[in-house]
Amino acid sequence: MPSRSWIAVAATVALALTACETSEVPTGAPQPTTTFTTEAPVTTQPSASTTAPPTTLAAVAEDGVLTIGSLLPETGSLASLGPPLIRAVELAVIDVNEAGGVLDGPVGLVSADSGSDAAQAELALVPVLDGRADVVVGPAVDGVTRRVFDTIIARPALSCLPATTSVELIARDDGGLAFRTAPADLLQMVAIADLVAGSPATTVALLAAEDEVGLRLSARLAAELADREIDVVLEQTYDPGAADTSAAVELVVESGPDTVVLLGGDEGPGVLRGLLEAGFAGDDVLVNDAIASPLLGELVDPANPGLVDGVRGTVPTDQAPLGGEFFEAAFTDFAGNIDTFFAAQAYDCVIVTALAAASTGASEPSALAGAIVEVTTGGTACSTFAECLPLIEEGTDIDYVGASGVDLDADGLPTSGVYDVFQFDADGTQQPIATVGIGPAAEALVAEDAETDGEGEESDGEADADDETDEG
């Protein structure tokens, strides 16, 4: 499946969001439509009202119907991200229902437009929960997700994140109700550590924003570098809200590292400029995806974007080398020739939840939560809901492979991911230089490359044979 760089999202969405607020949904809410054919399911949309929702949610008891909630962007600056995610959710619901549904009935779907604004997403969540959603798929980006995440968990409802990678939500108390099909940025630190290990560098300084995200990323990267016997000479933080970070940069200079890894956010280009002006060559600096925007050169120095020449960065992709071969063609047949931005991951949010319902015989989120990890690890491998369901009914432990090759750890986080590596040239243009896999995806990428190389060699051989025939 073609990958789309997450950097486009990072460049588009730089949202300054306030803390989450909760909302109230009246009890006795109407049931969502639950009978679908091969047409896209009918969805419900939120009111255009701008009135903030009340502040307390009433829990929904077991109703014997699995209802999927979709909270994804259809309007605003993020609207281009919505169609593949939305259509993938619809396709998954149809696939489950065509295979017989779960809990002796079809799966329901209730959808709302999260828009591109966190406040709008908060309003849009109300009718989704009012429709008795047992799992909410989305939102599509980190900033919006942070605003509604606590409200979803407090309902309680399951939260499945198909495209957000921020580590901030990992620290929140989710009661086991949250899982992801897109890898968290902690895995990106493994990719960066591998890049450092593959370079001549023997000493590294880490410079990270002094916030929850920066501290978590820095700690993980330091551990990964230590495992590779690379000397971390400095772990330095800076205030991401400060106008002047030169003191932190000076400490990095004094530590004398071969390589600097900068882990930050919107303020990162300014800190990077300080490092480069302090004497570090671009080749000596690595940055995380929140900094590695295609516009990085202009953000660092509009008058001289080439200042970032040599700087490297990593960004997560939606590439799924472990996923089932069925999905790409099935999605294209259903949705047409549209972008596949994390579509496989959104599809798997639905299927994993449906398999958990089939395994537990329940739709209540707290009951489902215990089976989410179990149906994706160990056991007998199966690729689709239709293939997995009979195994569950026979009492067989399953390992759902799915569209994205989803494999979750005990915390509901993917154990593998794929990252694009970029380097900026003398014009400040972002150039792709490699794609790397982490965890099981690494071996899968190697196998894909070997298969591609083999096909190329075979084609060369056929061409040689044709030449011989022509000569004869």
Side-chain angles (χ1 to χ4, degrees), residues 10-414:
T12 304
V13 187
L15 299 176
L17 302 177
T18 58
C20 287
E21 300 172 359
T22 54
S23 321
E24 180 175 359
V25 178
T27 57
Q31 296 291 326
T33 302
T34 57
T35 302
F36 303 130
T37 64
T38 54
E39 298 298 320
V42 176
T43 61
T44 60
Q45 298 294 333
S47 162
S49 170
T50 57
T51 304
T55 56
T56 310
L57 287 169
V60 175
E62 174 68 54
D63 61 5
V65 176
L66 178 64
T67 302
I68 306 298
S70 173
L71 187 65
L72 296 164
E74 299 176 36
T75 58
S77 62
L78 299 177
S80 64
L81 306 182
L85 299 170
I86 294 166
R87 297 294 274 163
V89 169
E90 293 172 350
L91 176 60
V93 170
I94 290 170
D95 284 352
V96 171
N97 288 340
E98 288 190 340
V102 291
L103 307 179
D104 300 320
V107 170
L109 174 64
V110 56
S111 301
D113 176 16
S114 67
S116 306
D117 175 80
Q120 178 178 339
E122 190 174 33
L123 291 171
L125 177 62
V126 174
V128 173
L129 297 179
D130 193 34
R132 303 175 70 89
D134 300 299
V135 60
V136 177
V137 181
V141 296
D142 293 330
V144 178
T145 301
R146 285 194 290 271
R147 181 70 169 261
V148 300
F149 182 81
D150 289 342
T151 302
I152 294 169
I153 299 304
R155 171 68 171 181
L158 290 174
S159 169
C160 184
L161 306 179
T164 61
T165 63
S166 173
V167 302
E168 180 185 349
L169 299 175
I170 295 174
R172 298 196 185 182
D173 183 9
D174 59 29
L177 291 167
F179 68 105
R180 299 176 188 242
T181 49
D185 282 338
L186 290 177
L187 276 182
Q188 186 180 168
M189 299 304 99
V190 181
I192 291 177
D194 285 345
L195 289 176
V196 174
S199 74
T202 59
T203 59
V204 178
L206 307 183
L207 181 58
E210 192 171 4
D211 54 26
E212 182 179 352
V213 173
L215 294 173
R216 282 179 169 270
L217 294 181
S218 183
R220 176 63 180 269
L221 181 55
E224 294 292 337
L225 291 170
D227 287 345
R228 291 159 178 76
E229 299 183 349
I230 295 171
D231 186 15
V232 178
V233 296
L234 179 69
E235 295 180 57
Q236 179 62 42
T237 60
Y238 64 88
D239 179 359
D244 184 1
T245 58
S246 59
V249 169
E250 182 59 31
L251 290 173
V252 174
V253 173
E254 292 174 0
S255 69
D258 297 327
T259 293
V260 180
V261 180
L262 175 60
L263 305 171
D266 295 342
E267 78 295 334
V271 183
L272 176 59
R273 178 168 180 164
L275 288 169
L276 297 174
E277 291 181 341
F280 287 102
D283 292 344
D284 299 331
V285 182
L286 281 161
V287 297
N288 62 319
D289 65 309
I291 300 175
S293 162
L295 302 177
L296 180 61
E298 295 179 12
L299 293 172
V300 168
D301 187 348
N304 180 25
L307 183 63
V308 299
D309 183 22
V311 172
R312 288 177 293 164
T314 56
V315 298
T317 81
D318 62 356
Q319 190 170 342
L322 298 171
E325 295 180 357
F326 74 93
F327 182 73
E328 184 173 357
F331 184 73
T332 300
D333 288 345
F334 178 72
N337 188 25
I338 66 173
D339 193 357
T340 56
F341 172 78
F342 287 95
Q345 288 78 4
Y347 180 91
D348 281 345
C349 279
V350 176
I351 302 299
V352 168
T353 304
L355 291 172
S359 177
T360 61
S363 64
E364 197 277 317
S366 297
L368 293 174
I372 291 295
V373 174
E374 292 179 5
V375 299
T376 71
T377 57
T380 301
C382 50
S383 294
T384 66
F385 180 83
E387 182 183 350
C388 295
L389 182 60
L391 295 175
I392 291 175
E393 292 174 341
E394 293 168 3
T396 301
D397 183 23
I398 68 164
D399 179 357
Y400 172 67
V401 176
S404 68
V406 60
D407 188 51
L408 305 180
D409 66 15
D411 295 319
L413 302 175

